[in-house]
Amino acid sequence: MSHVGGHTEFLQGVDSPAAWRAAVLLLVCLQLHRPSPVHAAVSLSRGSYRADGCICASDILSCTALALRHIPGEMPVSTVTLDLSHNHITQLEDGTFQGLPQLETLRLAHNQLTAILPGAFRNLSGVLLRNLDLSSNHLCVLEEHYFQELSGLEELLLFNNRISRVEGRPLAGLTNLRKAYLSHNRLTDFPFFSIQKHSHPHLSLLDLSSNRLSKLPLEDILALPHSLQKGLYLHNNSLWCECPMYSLFRSWEQQEFESLLFFRQEHICLVYGNPRGTVRFLQHGRYLEKCNLSAVTQKSSVNVTAGKALLLHCATTLSGHAVTFLWVSPSLESVLPPGNNGSLKMFSNGSLEIVAAREKDTGIYWCLAEDRQHHRNETWEVNVTVLADANDPQEPFNTGFTTLLGCVVSLVLVLMYLYLTPCRCPPCLKAPPPATATPSLGNEAGVGSAQSSILTPTPPASTEGPGRKIFFSVRATRPPSSLISTLTHDHRKDRKHASEQRHACTRRCTDERLI
């Protein structure tokens, strides 16, 4: 009746019981007509507002740290991000999120959730919901029906719970799932077989670190898609120190998986399962040197960056104390334990380690495993390719120098081709020599040279008898001016023709060289 007390002025002057009853009934009706806090918030403007502790800004509804024990009954239908973290919510009931068709992100971290009832996400747009945060709660069992309605889920956060058991295939149907975080729980095993390439084509990260896994199903893990193996985190578990487990992690380390590079020190195992016998097996591999690392399939062709270490396994089915191993390097050098020259290190289990790969280490490495007790032997070949280090400062210099040298050589060859290559055109014609004079008998109409005298040494015929004196007449005759003009014109014409031929020949030779 505290609300009624707020209207004392309204009730003053009311004396009859009937009037009292009418006034009280009117006040009750007014109280029932008042909208709920969240509904009143929805009816306000689209800007930021505050109602009953919840903050709504555009399409975000934040109800964090309000000591809520239940999900609010009425929420804006336009909500895209709903934050209910840091409350006291204990369970999600059927139809809890009904009426939120636009919801994409749901945060329920740091609550006291112990159960998710069937249908909790029913009538929720499971195709749109992409991020679900259930971390730091009290979930103990991961049941199969939890996420059946969330086919569009991409990121699932379940770390820091109390999950000790996974029932069935709780991740089945989450075909769009990309990342799943289940670290810091109490898992003793996990159904790796339920994750296949066709069922989870986009899953690239599965964090199972800081649990209580003691043994790993090697076959199921190796059957996982390679992209998921690269993003599988298994550090800080209670793994037993066994050869199959050691072989798996050594293989991932060789392939430079991020889970091994970033958390190398956190990979531990227990000697004979004793919690006091903890070994950081990737840092102190001598405890597992006798393991046959061929349990993990060795590829027949591997690549390694220059300067990096590479571990080669002698893949063989032979086992026992009577089995001996021998490696032959590409330089036909035999390698026996413990190795030689400091560049190759060999273990008693048959594995060969290239301490720091160099370019000359490229080639085929041949392994021989021999069981002298049963008179059996097997061989294995591995083709190793050493790649140049992309971060090597000398490499860009070598590339630039080679390019410059190639340009200079090309320019020299072009110049040699243009100026030193013999011309394939016919020889240029030369100007004919000037015409020479032709001697003839002398008369003024005879033909003679314009530059020489015409001599007529032949004596004239005489009918005189002997004893008469004979005189030789020598007379220089001058050719006519018309003949001199004709010869001069022909000579100039020949010289001009020869000059034109020489120019044409030169142009043709130049064109052929340029082509």
Side-chain angles (χ1 to χ4, degrees):
M1 298 299 294
S2 60
H3 297 287
V4 179
H7 300 273
T8 55
E9 296 180 359
F10 177 78
L11 296 178
Q12 289 179 357
V14 180
D15 297 330
S16 63
W20 272 98
R21 286 195 296 270
V24 172
L25 181 61
L26 177 60
L27 291 175
V28 171
C29 292
L30 290 175
Q31 292 295 325
L32 292 176
H33 183 68
R34 291 178 59 188
S36 63
V38 177
H39 187 271
V42 178
S43 63
L44 294 177
S45 63
R46 297 292 294 177
S48 300
Y49 61 87
R50 197 176 187 92
D52 198 24
C54 292
I55 300 176
C56 182
S58 185
D59 56 359
I60 300 176
L61 181 60
S62 176
C63 301
T64 62
L66 297 179
L68 297 178
R69 297 186 178 274
H70 302 281
I71 305 295
E74 297 181 6
M75 291 174 284
V77 295
S78 61
T79 300
V80 175
T81 300
L82 176 59
D83 192 350
L84 296 168
S85 57
H86 296 277
N87 283 291
H88 304 302
I89 302 173
T90 57
Q91 66 178 9
L92 301 181
E93 300 178 353
D94 184 9
T96 298
F97 302 100
Q98 186 174 0
L100 296 175
Q102 304 297 327
L103 193 61
E104 295 182 5
T105 301
L106 177 58
R107 300 191 180 100
L108 287 163
H110 295 279
N111 276 278
Q112 300 176 6
L113 285 175
T114 57
I116 302 176
L117 300 181
F121 301 106
R122 187 177 298 143
N123 297 327
L124 180 68
S125 181
V127 177
L128 292 179
L129 188 66
R130 299 176 181 176
N131 302 284
L132 178 58
D133 187 357
L134 298 173
S135 61
S136 300
N137 278 281
H138 298 166
L139 295 174
C140 296
V141 180
L142 197 60
E143 298 187 10
E144 190 169 5
H145 69 269
Y146 277 2
F147 315 113
Q148 288 181 350
E149 295 91 356
L150 305 178
S151 59
L153 195 62
E154 295 181 0
E155 187 176 66
L156 177 60
L157 283 68
L158 290 166
F159 62 86
N160 195 26
N161 274 274
R162 303 174 183 178
I163 302 174
S164 60
R165 188 173 74 257
V166 178
E167 291 187 354
R169 302 183 179 186
L171 303 183
L174 303 181
T175 56
N176 292 317
L177 188 63
R178 299 179 182 273
K179 298 180 179 181
Y181 299 87
L182 290 95
S183 61
H184 295 87
N185 280 286
R186 303 174 183 178
L187 291 171
T188 56
D189 58 4
F190 185 82
F192 293 99
F193 62 88
S194 64
I195 301 176
Q196 303 294 331
K197 185 175 182 179
H198 65 276
S199 61
H200 299 84
H202 307 294
L203 187 58
S204 60
L205 189 148
L206 178 59
D207 188 358
L208 295 171
S209 61
S210 300
N211 277 281
R212 299 178 181 179
L213 301 176
S214 58
K215 294 187 178 182
L216 298 177
L218 187 62
E219 295 182 0
D220 294 341
I221 292 178
L222 291 176
L224 295 174
H226 187 264
S227 59
L228 180 55
Q229 291 187 37
K230 294 176 63 176
L232 182 58
Y233 292 80
L234 296 169
H235 56 276
N236 282 334
N237 272 282
S238 304
L239 300 173
W240 284 35
C241 296
E242 296 180 340
C243 289
M245 177 275 303
Y246 179 67
S247 302
L248 176 67
F249 287 106
R250 288 287 287 182
S251 174
W252 287 354
E253 184 183 30
Q254 175 183 334
Q255 300 178 58
E256 298 183 351
F257 286 180
E258 292 184 355
S259 58
L260 276 296
L261 295 178
F262 298 152
F263 299 95
R264 194 171 188 271
Q265 295 182 355
E266 285 78 6
H267 283 80
I268 59 176
C269 66
L270 307 180
V271 179
Y272 301 111
N274 186 358
R276 297 182 179 180
T278 303
V279 177
R280 301 183 187 275
F281 57 86
L282 291 180
Q283 290 185 318
H284 307 285
R286 63 181 181 272
Y287 293 99
L288 297 168
E289 281 186 354
K290 296 183 178 180
C291 292
N292 183 7
L293 298 182
S294 62
V296 178
T297 304
Q298 169 70 62
K299 296 182 179 179
S300 58
S301 180
V302 295
N303 298 330
V304 61
T305 305
K308 300 289 186 179
L310 177 64
L311 185 66
L312 303 179
H313 308 303
C314 188
T316 177
T317 59
L318 302 180
S319 61
H321 299 285
V323 178
T324 59
F325 299 92
L326 169 69
W327 281 91
V328 179
S329 67
S331 59
L332 302 181
E333 179 183 6
S334 300
V335 184
L336 293 169
N340 53 356
N341 298 331
S343 60
L344 298 176
K345 184 178 180 181
M346 185 173 175
F347 302 94
S348 58
N349 58 13
S351 297
L352 179 69
E353 182 179 7
I354 303 176
V355 178
R358 299 166 295 179
E359 184 178 357
K360 66 179 183 179
D361 293 329
T362 298
I364 297 178
Y365 290 78
W366 180 74
C367 172
L368 170 65
E370 183 180 6
D371 187 351
R372 298 181 179 180
Q373 182 177 358
H374 299 88
H375 304 287
R376 296 177 56 193
N377 61 73
E378 294 180 358
T379 60
W380 180 257
E381 292 183 356
V382 183
N383 187 11
V384 176
T385 302
V386 180
L387 305 177
D389 188 359
N391 298 324
D392 187 3
Q394 187 178 1
E395 183 64 22
F397 173 77
N398 293 337
T399 303
F401 180 76
T402 304
T403 304
L404 179 61
L405 181 61
C407 293
V408 173
V409 172
S410 301
L411 181 60
V412 172
L413 292 178
V414 170
L415 295 177
M416 292 176 61
Y417 178 77
L418 290 177
Y419 296 100
L420 300 181
T421 305
C423 180
R424 294 191 297 273
C425 60
C428 299
L429 299 177
K430 297 182 179 180
T436 58
T438 304
S440 61
L441 295 176
N443 55 38
E444 292 182 359
V447 179
S449 174
Q451 298 179 359
S452 61
S453 299
I454 301 176
L455 301 179
T456 56
T458 305
S462 178
T463 57
E464 301 288 337
R468 292 185 61 86
K469 294 182 180 178
I470 299 175
F471 296 93
F472 291 91
S473 176
V474 178
R475 185 178 57 184
T477 61
R478 182 181 179 87
S481 59
S482 61
L483 178 61
I484 294 175
S485 176
T486 302
L487 291 175
T488 303
H489 177 72
D490 292 343
H491 180 64
R492 291 176 179 175
K493 185 177 181 180
D494 291 340
R495 291 182 63 186
K496 181 179 181 181
H497 181 66
S499 178
E500 292 178 351
Q501 285 186 340
R502 284 196 300 271
H503 287 301
C505 181
T506 303
R507 287 194 301 268
R508 186 164 58 255
C509 291
T510 304
D511 294 342
E512 288 184 359
R513 286 169 179 169
L514 292 176
I515 294 174

